[in-house]
Amino acid sequence: MSAVHESRRRSGPTVARGSTRPTSRDVAQAAGVSQAAVSLVLGDKWRGRVSEATAERVREAARDLGYRPNLAARNLRLGRTRTVLLVVPALTTELFAGVYTGAARVAAEHGFGVVLYPSPEGIGPARDPFASAQAALDGVIASSMAADALTAISGEALPLVMLDSDPAGSLGAATVNLDIADGVRQVVEHLLSLGHRRFLHFAADVPSWTFEVRSRELASRLAAVPGTSVSTARSPISIEGAVPAAVAALSAPGPHPTAVVCDDDLLAAGVYKAARRLGLRIPDDLSVTGLDDLALATAIDPELTTVRLDAELFGERGMRALLAVLEGREPESGDIPVRLVERASTAPPR
């Protein structure tokens, strides 16, 4: 035990009179060093400037005194606010609630805060949430479905990470994606193994890269299997909007599909209601799959076969990527795995 620590152990930490919290001056006095040395050690810039023994003495003094740096003052000096904006569409809010939770968890570990900003119209332009985004923010994490909102907040001039965005043409310095293509592959293989050959793709009527991936992957997978067919119907991402679109698609002339592949669990719920109106039973007359694995997936009857997305990990990876960009490092590569959850909404066709 060091002499400094032994002395403090006997007499207790000494804090400057009148102070409400220990300061760097208190740490310097307790460790017997200058305030400059304290700043170097606690800013992790001491190597080559002070000895290892001195650095340990400063850290020990700071721990014993319960010293915490004044982040507001430090951020003012560095020109940083340690605030990140998470821009998401106002739709599929349950998924993006998980994204926010994951991002905020990692941000808190690094002394950052996350402001959630849903685009008011769901997708498309949005009003600037700050008088000056560049002055108020250190960086932006944005879903591709809300990318147009970046123009309003001057996001293109800030460090930026895009979620669900084309790596080859993204606005951001980095992209973080779920392996949606593999999720569609798992859905197709599951339905084909049950014997389905006539498919309806119930697609989200949203101009977004992630939905384009689903459409392309489904078409290419089925094109490789002789005797299969797929038609497409589009719908807003809401149960209310999905019902009439699904009724029209399922009652259209010609051979009817035996399986409906939905871009989202909300669309699948709309298909459930449409099927009931048309006298179709799930899965006896129609198999249905979703994508997201929202709480809704186990609330509807029969429970929905869907692709589980790890929303919190998605948010964590997005925040870690932004931290890497801010620090000049290369973000972690590779898409986040997804998994098909088989439930009672799929069965062999009649």
Side-chain angles (χ1 to χ4, degrees), residues 50-185:
V50 301
S51 68
E52 173 69 49
T54 298
E56 178 55 32
R57 200 160 71 243
V58 170
R59 288 191 290 264
E60 187 180 352
R63 283 195 301 269
D64 288 352
L65 289 169
Y67 172 75
R68 296 291 182 273
N70 187 330
L71 291 178
R74 184 179 71 177
N75 293 340
L76 187 61
R77 291 194 303 272
L78 296 176
R80 284 191 171 185
T81 64
R82 303 190 78 80
T83 301
V84 170
L85 191 69
L86 175 60
V87 185
V88 301
L91 57 155
T92 60
T93 50
E94 182 184 330
L95 173 70
F96 284 104
V99 171
Y100 171 80
T101 299
R105 181 187 302 124
V106 172
E109 293 171 359
H110 293 81
F112 279 77
V114 177
V115 177
L116 180 64
Y117 182 58
S119 178
E121 301 304 321
I123 59 172
R127 294 167 300 171
D128 187 346
F130 299 99
S132 173
Q134 290 177 324
L137 301 170
D138 285 336
V140 177
I141 304 171
S143 159
S144 64
M145 284 191 286
D148 287 345
L150 297 176
T151 303
I153 62 171
S154 304
E156 71 277 2
L158 288 162
L160 176 64
V161 169
M162 295 296 295
L163 308 179
D164 266 339
S165 187
D166 185 357
S170 172
L171 297 171
T175 58
V176 176
N177 288 315
L178 297 152
D179 197 347
I180 295 297
D182 186 61
V184 174
R185 177 194 64 79

Side-chain angles (χ1 to χ4, degrees), residues 5-6 37 43 66 70 101 118 126 139 148 188 243 249 269 308 338:
H5 181 74
E6 175 63 23
N70 187 330
T101 299
D148 287 345
V188 171
V243 173
R308 177 170 295 166
V338 301

Side-chain angles (χ1 to χ4, degrees), residues 314-331:
F314 199 16
E316 289 178 7
R317 282 277 299 273
M319 188 64 213
R320 292 190 194 282
L322 184 57
L323 290 171
V325 171
L326 290 171
E327 295 168 6
R329 296 184 287 105
E330 191 69 25

